[in-house]
Amino acid sequence: MDGLNVSIAFFFLVVGVCQVLRWLSKRLLSPGTRGCLAREFAGSLQLCTSCLELRMLMEIGPWGGGFGLDVVLTLLFLLSAVHGASFDGASANPTVSLQEFLLLESSLAATAAKLLAQAAGTGTGWAVTRLYWSWELTQLHFIQNLIAPECSSSIRASLPHAAFVEGSCSFLFHLVLLKVRQSHPLCRVPALAATVTFLTYAAGPFTGAFFNPALAAATTFHCSGSSFWDYIQVYWLGPLAGMLAALLLFQGNIPRLFQKNLLYSQKSKYKVPKAKVTAQVEGDKPQRKGKGGKSNSEPRA
């Protein structure tokens, strides 16, 4: 359990450092694009380092550390909740940034800058974690350094099956995100954390359940067993297709591409009366002539 305690301390340290980066960006940078890019960099750094350490615990922990999958999933839920509460509007996920672009919430230049910031943050997180592992503070890190050069691909299913799994995970994640993104953080954060934990538990044995192209690139693209094109299809095209499907199902259209709703009919909430009753007004009272030519006053609602 000493190795687990060291990993937990590492998680706290990473979150603290990234919080300092976010605080400095607010103090030193403008609140516009630069501040947004700094938040994306810090969020991607935090997410990548935490994910790499957590995957190490998931792979080595059951036989090298004496703890089971339940411990790792509990840590995953808690870390996902911490990420959701501390990211300060950043997504640290290329498919989420592309979704914001398709929803007309971000320009093309801002979206491209976010993707670059996410790539830089993920690459920095990978380098920092590898340096941390090289110190071999625990037996788990010693084992990780031994097996790291011989890592195998996270794709443990046929290529179409693996792409479908990653696409389905992305579809469900984005569907939940679209549903709760305007909700209060007390509801949004646990909902997204529970979704990520469930998807990791269900799809982890097949693809690792990344549904985040930047995170997958830093974690498994360098491992042997699959070609670069295989990784592209499973971890980039699969999540992108899942995001598009979720957006189309939730919105009925993709605002950046077309305005017409393809799935749901737009009904006006104001009812137009079918017929109008004409009346002659005399002395502020509506009157109607009968058959005998006499005028009868009748109150109308």
Side-chain angles (χ1 to χ4, degrees):
M1 295 298 290
D2 292 339
L4 182 60
N5 293 333
V6 172
S7 295
I8 292 175
F10 175 71
F11 293 142
F12 277 109
L13 178 62
V14 167
V15 173
V17 170
C18 292
Q19 280 294 96
V20 171
L21 290 177
R22 280 184 278 265
W23 179 79
L24 289 175
S25 68
K26 287 183 178 181
R27 293 293 300 271
L28 302 178
L29 300 178
S30 62
T33 304
R34 293 182 180 179
C36 178
L37 296 182
R39 290 193 300 271
E40 288 291 346
F41 175 84
S44 299
L45 172 63
Q46 178 177 325
L47 182 63
C48 182
T49 52
S50 300
C51 178
L52 288 172
E53 182 72 4
L54 195 61
R55 287 188 63 82
M56 183 273 298
L57 295 177
M58 185 178 294
E59 294 175 357
I60 304 176
W63 56 271
F67 49 88
L69 183 61
D70 55 339
V71 175
V72 179
L73 290 177
T74 302
L75 283 175
L76 174 60
F77 175 81
L78 295 176
L79 283 173
S80 299
V82 170
H83 294 336
S86 63
F87 273 7
D88 193 21
S91 65
N93 189 333
T95 58
V96 176
S97 298
L98 291 174
Q99 175 184 279
E100 294 172 352
F101 170 73
L102 294 175
L103 285 171
L104 304 177
E105 297 175 354
S106 179
S107 65
L108 179 60
T111 302
K114 287 181 182 179
L115 296 180
L116 291 176
Q118 290 164 4
T122 303
T124 304
W126 179 83
V128 169
T129 307
R130 294 298 296 269
L131 176 63
Y132 161 68
W133 285 345
S134 68
W135 297 340
E136 298 182 355
L137 300 179
T138 68
Q139 184 180 3
L140 297 177
H141 296 148
F142 174 74
I143 298 173
Q144 173 64 30
N145 282 334
L146 289 178
I147 66 176
E150 304 298 330
C151 69
S152 58
S153 171
S154 296
I155 302 176
R156 304 182 186 94
S158 63
L159 196 62
H161 185 198
F164 175 77
V165 168
E166 282 292 308
S168 300
C169 289
S170 178
F171 172 78
L172 293 174
F173 172 76
H174 282 276
L175 205 58
V176 174
L177 177 63
L178 288 167
K179 182 66 176 178
V180 304
R181 66 192 189 119
Q182 300 296 338
S183 303
H184 193 275
L186 290 178
C187 298
R188 183 180 69 251
V189 171
L192 291 175
T195 302
V196 170
T197 304
F198 169 75
L199 293 176
T200 302
Y201 172 75
F206 302 103
T207 61
F210 293 103
F211 48 94
N212 183 329
L215 196 59
T219 305
T220 192
F221 271 41
H222 62 281
C223 295
S224 60
S226 298
S227 66
F228 182 76
W229 176 239
D230 292 342
Y231 287 130
I232 292 294
Q233 293 180 74
V234 174
Y235 295 116
W236 287 9
L237 298 183
L240 182 60
M243 180 271 290
L244 292 174
L247 183 59
L248 186 61
L249 179 63
F250 186 84
Q251 291 280 125
N253 69 336
I254 300 178
R256 178 68 66 174
L257 303 181
F258 38 79
Q259 295 295 327
K260 183 179 179 180
N261 198 308
L262 302 178
L263 300 181
Y264 312 115
S265 60
Q266 299 292 324
K267 294 183 178 180
S268 175
K269 60 182 179 180
Y270 302 105
K271 292 184 178 180
V272 179
K274 295 182 179 180
K276 294 182 179 180
V277 179
T278 59
Q280 293 179 352
V281 180
E282 292 182 2
D284 296 332
K285 292 183 179 180
Q287 295 182 346
R288 185 177 58 190
K289 288 186 178 181
K291 292 183 178 179
K294 295 182 179 181
S295 176
N296 299 325
S297 297
E298 293 182 359
R300 293 172 55 197

